[in-house]
Amino acid sequence: MFMTSSSPLPHSIGVVQLPFLHHMTLSVPATEMGRTLILVSFICVLACNIYGDSTEATRKLSSIQYNPGCENDPICKRVSDSGSAPNLLYAYSVGNDTLHYFFSTVGAPTFLVAKTPGKKQESLNVSWTDFLSVNDTNVKNSVKLPNVNYAFAVVFTKLYEYNDTNDHADFTSIPNDEWNWNIRDFAKQFVWKGLNTTELNNPVTVRTNLSMTNIDESYISFDWKLFGNHDRNTEVPHLEHTINDTQFNFLINNWPTFCEKSRFGLELVMMGTDGVKHMTNIEESKSLDDEYTPGVFTMIDWSTQSKVLASDTDESKQLGGYLQWKPVVYLTEERSSQKQTQAKHYDTMKADHSVIKSMVPMRSLAMAFFGDQLNTMTLNATNISFGLPEDGFYAKSNYTVWSGSIGYGTPPQDEISILVIIVIAVGLGIPVVLIIFGGLIVCIKRRRSGKGENILVNVADGD
């Protein structure tokens, strides 16, 4: 473990109806002001339609494969010595290049993304005997994919449970002793449920079987969802997804705790073939808008340190992997802003490359895919904890779900939507237009009134 810390207008008016956003009708006066508003609204609708109908690159997403190449091998029909079933999920998406997505709970749960050039579907080769071996040497390079020009992975290495006696909701405030911590190794202390082929819907859920207690519905699970288009998840925090990423949910449900004031957290290790031995720090970006995630104005990005190629092409600038999330977890299955708390991240680990490498479990998809290549790869680690002071600890809800995106390229950033821009523009624009036209009308009326007075004065002088 590591930690760091109005008044009516003159003249009679008619009404013009304008279809707006395909489902609303806007009524405006058929005067000069009305014509101006119609023009502004038409431009807004046109911009919205252009925005919504713009052509965007897409990827053709394959179906999800479960334990590819091992359908008829007896070794995949059995469970490991710990009772855990072998789980390797694989899919790929084809665009100008091909992205390969993996998720496995063999050993430590691992999300892995690999990129190969062109649209050719490379052949995945898994030596299942070696991949499931207890011999560390055999595990290395047991999962092979040819012609990979970039790959990265995120490994869930440890689950932390700590006794937050002072209700600080901060790792760094907890004494480092066995009475305050219960640390579980994902690679060694969890039993994972196997999947049936009928369960291979999108998303796919892989969960633990908590066999050591008699508590019903106690489990930890991962949901893994893939996309071939650019959109947003329908569930809060409504993370944006691109054609280059996947999303996950990490859920702790009704999990038994060792004390009344327990909170949970994670240790994560990220690695990439960027060719450097360190990783950029975790970056926060602020937004003025919480349209997508009520009450949350921050986005967190943890990216590999990109190595810009000599050619300095646009593609080279995209080189790198990322883990993205918002600093929020939800405490009920029906997610809402009233039932949420914080996902707190800590500084990345300040340690030698060899130390971080030793944190990567030998029994993991990362070790099976990269092997000794880890010696020269980008590596770093961080902690994330769940909870806020005075939120009632884990025991109040017995439910915590955290969502994130894992992808290749530049992490997407929240921007104010076209609809919000239109609402703001109309909200601010109409009063301004009313003031301007109202002022003009007043000036014109006064000018006309002034001319009338001058005529009367001239007639009186003539008399």
Side-chain angles (χ1 to χ4, degrees):
M1 176 183 67
F2 73 94
M3 296 169 287
T4 63
S5 222
S6 103
S7 50
L9 292 171
H11 313 300
S12 61
I13 61 174
V15 172
V16 176
Q17 291 188 327
L18 176 69
F20 186 61
L21 295 181
H22 306 293
H23 64 275
M24 293 190 293
T25 298
L26 180 66
S27 298
V28 295
T31 62
E32 189 65 32
M33 182 181 71
R35 288 191 288 271
T36 302
L37 290 175
I38 292 172
L39 179 60
V40 171
S41 300
F42 176 76
I43 293 172
C44 289
V45 174
L46 181 62
C48 187
N49 287 335
I50 291 174
Y51 177 84
D53 298 335
S54 60
T55 57
E56 181 189 37
T58 59
R59 290 182 176 275
K60 183 178 180 181
L61 185 65
S62 74
S63 59
I64 299 173
Q65 301 177 38
Y66 178 55
N67 292 345
C70 200
E71 294 82 358
N72 300 315
D73 194 322
I75 197 171
C76 291
K77 302 296 182 182
R78 67 175 179 84
V79 297
S80 65
D81 295 337
S82 67
S84 188
N87 287 314
L88 175 63
L89 297 163
Y90 167 68
Y92 59 90
S93 62
V94 180
N96 294 328
D97 50 33
T98 302
L99 291 178
H100 306 260
Y101 305 106
F102 301 82
F103 173 61
S104 178
T105 56
V106 174
T110 303
F111 295 92
L112 190 149
V113 180
K115 176 176 171 284
T116 56
K119 300 181 179 182
K120 178 184 177 183
Q121 171 53 30
E122 303 292 348
S123 298
L124 176 66
N125 186 356
V126 182
S127 174
W128 281 98
T129 300
D130 292 336
F131 184 35
L132 301 178
S133 174
V134 295
N135 187 313
D136 294 348
T137 303
N138 292 345
V139 173
K140 292 180 179 180
N141 304 118
S142 57
V143 178
K144 297 179 181 180
L145 185 69
N147 298 321
V148 173
N149 54 20
Y150 184 77
F152 81 101
V154 177
V155 184
F156 287 64
T157 52
K158 289 182 173 60
L159 176 71
Y160 294 131
E161 180 185 357
Y162 65 97
N163 185 14
D164 191 11
T165 54
N166 296 318
D167 198 13
H168 290 160
D170 191 319
F171 271 4
T172 60
S173 67
I174 309 303
N176 191 13
D177 58 55
E178 61 182 83
W179 295 280
N180 287 293
W181 292 91
N182 185 4
I183 302 176
R184 296 179 174 93
D185 191 325
F186 271 116
K188 300 176 181 178
Q189 295 175 263
F190 288 83
V191 176
W192 296 98
K193 173 187 175 183
L195 294 176
N196 297 320
T197 55
T198 57
E199 295 177 296
L200 292 182
N201 299 314
N202 196 356
V204 177
T205 301
V206 178
R207 66 172 53 174
T208 58
N209 287 331
L210 188 59
S211 58
M212 68 284 292
T213 74
N214 294 321
I215 301 176
D216 293 333
E217 288 300 305
S218 296
Y219 59 85
I220 289 175
S221 71
F222 288 90
D223 288 353
W224 186 49
K225 190 167 187 177
L226 300 95
F227 308 93
N229 65 329
H230 195 155
D231 207 340
R232 285 189 178 273
N233 200 314
T234 56
E235 284 187 316
V236 287
H238 297 303
L239 289 173
E240 185 176 1
H241 60 77
T242 73
I243 60 175
N244 295 331
D245 66 17
T246 69
Q247 293 185 356
F248 69 88
N249 294 319
F250 172 73
L251 170 62
I252 309 174
N253 183 73
N254 204 30
W255 194 259
T257 58
F258 79 99
C259 60
E260 293 181 354
K261 296 184 177 181
S262 280
R263 297 189 187 277
F264 287 94
L266 295 167
E267 179 185 86
L268 306 175
V269 179
M270 182 186 278
M271 62 211 68
T273 58
D274 300 77
V276 293
K277 291 189 175 182
H278 293 283
M279 193 169 295
T280 56
N281 291 327
I282 295 174
E283 297 181 352
E284 294 187 12
S285 58
K286 303 290 185 179
S287 173
L288 298 176
D289 180 32
D290 64 344
E291 175 187 2
Y292 302 111
T293 314
V296 180
F297 297 86
T298 305
M299 182 76 80
I300 313 296
D301 296 318
W302 185 22
S303 304
T304 62
Q305 187 175 9
S306 299
K307 178 184 178 182
V308 179
L309 304 180
S311 61
D312 197 25
T313 63
D314 289 341
E315 182 178 358
S316 68
K317 293 178 182 178
Q318 296 292 313
L319 184 62
Y322 64 83
L323 169 60
Q324 181 181 74
W325 69 94
K326 291 191 175 183
V328 60
V329 295
Y330 295 94
L331 305 177
T332 57
E333 186 174 358
E334 297 295 329
R335 304 183 186 189
S336 72
S337 57
Q338 289 75 38
K339 298 292 183 179
Q340 67 182 39
T341 190
Q342 182 183 39
K344 178 182 177 64
H345 71 276
Y346 300 78
D347 290 342
T348 53
M349 188 175 185
K350 304 297 187 292
D352 290 340
H353 186 271
S354 59
V355 174
I356 303 177
K357 178 179 176 291
S358 67
M359 297 167 62
V360 181
M362 291 301 300
R363 295 205 69 239
S364 65
L365 174 61
M367 189 61 69
F369 191 89
F370 297 118
D372 290 332
Q373 191 179 1
L374 285 171
N375 295 328
T376 57
M377 286 174 59
T378 299
L379 285 170
N380 216 328
T382 192
N383 294 132
I384 296 175
S385 62
F386 308 131
L388 278 172
E390 301 180 2
D391 66 359
F393 308 97
Y394 176 76
K396 184 176 181 179
S397 64
N398 283 324
Y399 188 99
T400 296
V401 61
W402 175 54
S403 302
S405 297
I406 295 176
Y408 168 81
T410 303
Q413 297 299 317
D414 279 349
E415 296 179 350
I416 299 177
S417 69
I418 292 295
L419 182 59
V420 171
I421 292 174
I422 292 173
V423 171
I424 294 173
V426 172
L428 296 176
I430 289 179
V432 170
V433 171
L434 290 174
I435 291 171
I436 292 173
F437 277 90
L440 288 174
I441 291 169
V442 170
C443 290
I444 292 171
K445 290 184 69 176
R446 286 184 177 179
R447 185 175 180 84
R448 289 178 177 176
S449 177
K451 287 182 177 181
E453 291 175 359
N454 289 335
I455 293 172
L456 291 175
V457 170
N458 290 335
V459 171
D461 290 343
D463 290 342

